[in-house]
Amino acid sequence: SKSGVRHLGNEEGSEEAQRRKSTKKTEKSLKKEEGEHPVSKKAKRTKEEIEEARQLKIKKKEEEEQNRWRWWEEEKYEDGVKWKFLEHNGPYFPPEYQPLPDNVNFFYNGEKVKLSLAAEEVAVFFAQMLDHEYTTKMVFRENFFKDWRKEMTPKERSLIKDLEMCDFREIHAMHKARVEARKSMSKEEKQALKEANQKIVDQYGYCLLDHHKERIGNFKIEPPGLFRGRGEHPKQGMLKKRIQPEDVIINCDK
């Protein structure tokens, strides 16, 4: 009956209420015990230490302000002249391509194929994107295969004629393993990598503009890869070639 169901619900509700009360009591007792043995905290800084740190911060800010180049206060050049002295180390080129290890192979029609370095590098670009939807798009695949064949030797072109028969799985697995290795780097390894990157910034990331040291916004040349584009871009999948030193014109003083 309806009354029977309602009665049963009340009984279950009272049991639940008792259970909650006992849980709260247990939590309170645990908190009380923890309160008797408080976790040791860092010693608070004295007023003198706080004031000393504040003064040091102010002094550092003042020094930075003094060293700041007030270019707007110097004499203006004639129209069209923006600087008279510019010195820098040029752009930073991405590292050279490293060949695949002997245990990682590319296969065509089930057969192992040793590619030339230029063709192998472009194959790696495609293999790295295997788990991305780009590699499933017809335009992307057609543009990639067309540009990839341009990087092949005549012998490779005569052999590799169909992208569907290409097997990049071992190269893709190697790429995934390297990504996971970077994620699981130790604190020391991350610090060493950070220091190495900072050395690059120190060498290439600054210039002397009218004898004042200035930060360069972007000094790194984009590494080679496959163009992605946005939406259904007609050039997606095309090869962005490696920039060589002879492709670069540097703007600096005589």
Side-chain angles (χ1 to χ4, degrees):
S1 65
K2 289 183 181 178
S3 60
V5 172
R6 199 176 292 118
H7 180 66
L8 183 63
N10 290 340
E11 285 180 350
E12 288 175 352
S14 62
E15 287 178 6
E16 182 63 28
Q18 287 177 357
R19 198 179 295 113
R20 285 178 181 173
K21 281 182 181 178
S22 62
T23 305
K24 283 182 179 178
K25 283 181 181 178
T26 308
E27 288 175 355
K28 282 181 180 178
S29 62
L30 284 170
K31 284 179 181 178
K32 193 175 180 182
E33 287 175 8
E34 286 174 0
E36 291 172 1
H37 305 284
V39 179
S40 59
K41 295 181 179 179
K42 289 183 179 179
K44 288 185 177 180
R45 292 192 300 174
T46 62
K47 288 183 179 180
E48 290 79 11
E49 287 173 335
I50 294 170
E51 182 61 26
E52 187 180 346
R54 193 175 73 86
Q55 292 296 333
L56 189 66
K57 194 174 181 181
I58 292 170
K59 187 180 178 183
K60 190 177 179 182
K61 197 172 182 180
E62 286 175 351
E63 286 176 355
E64 287 176 356
E65 188 63 28
Q66 286 174 1
N67 294 330
R68 187 182 173 196
W69 179 29
R70 301 177 179 274
W71 53 267
W72 58 89
E73 293 179 358
E74 296 187 0
E75 64 169 312
K76 292 182 179 179
Y77 299 142
E78 57 269 25
D79 289 342
V81 179
K82 295 185 178 180
W83 49 263
K84 290 187 176 180
F85 180 89
L86 177 61
E87 182 180 282
H88 56 84
N89 288 327
Y92 175 75
F93 290 86
E96 291 295 322
Y97 172 68
Q98 298 299 317
L100 293 174
D102 294 334
N103 62 331
V104 178
N105 299 289
F106 164 76
F107 294 87
Y108 184 74
N109 196 20
E111 297 292 328
K112 190 188 299 183
V113 178
K114 182 64 177 174
L115 297 169
S116 59
L117 280 184
E120 184 183 276
E121 182 179 18
V122 181
V124 170
F125 297 153
F126 188 84
Q128 290 173 346
M129 298 176 66
L130 276 185
D131 53 1
H132 200 287
E133 65 172 343
Y134 274 109
T135 54
T136 63
K137 294 181 179 181
M138 188 58 67
V139 177
F140 188 95
R141 294 174 70 86
E142 286 177 355
N143 286 338
F144 159 72
F145 195 59
K146 186 179 178 182
D147 278 4
W148 185 28
R149 282 176 59 80
K150 292 176 184 175
E151 301 301 313
M152 294 179 186
T153 62
K155 185 179 178 181
E156 289 167 343
R157 278 195 293 272
S158 64
L159 173 66
I160 303 170
K161 295 181 178 179
D162 187 355
L163 183 58
E164 299 296 330
M165 299 176 74
C166 297
D167 185 354
F168 303 92
R169 286 178 294 179
E170 284 193 9
I171 305 174
H172 177 69
M174 178 200 71
H175 169 68
K176 296 288 283 185
R178 286 179 177 177
V179 170
E180 291 302 317
R182 282 198 295 269
K183 287 180 181 178
S184 58
M185 284 171 65
S186 66
K187 190 177 179 181
E188 291 75 18
E189 288 172 329
K190 287 180 181 177
Q191 183 60 32
L193 184 63
K194 187 178 178 182
E195 289 172 0
N197 289 332
Q198 187 57 47
K199 283 182 180 178
I200 294 170
V201 173
D202 293 340
Q203 185 175 355
Y204 294 95
Y206 294 91
C207 70
L208 284 177
L209 179 62
D210 286 344
H211 303 285
H212 295 279
K213 190 176 181 181
E214 291 290 297
R215 185 77 159 84
I216 299 173
N218 184 15
F219 59 90
K220 290 185 177 181
I221 285 180
E222 186 180 8
L226 301 181
F227 179 70
R228 301 189 183 194
R230 295 183 181 181
E232 299 302 320
H233 201 290
K235 291 186 177 181
Q236 60 180 280
M238 292 181 72
L239 175 64
K240 294 188 293 182
K241 291 189 175 184
R242 182 178 291 274
I243 302 297
Q244 300 295 343
E246 54 269 26
D247 302 322
V248 178
I249 296 172
I250 291 177
N251 189 17
C252 60
D253 72 350
K254 292 180 181 179

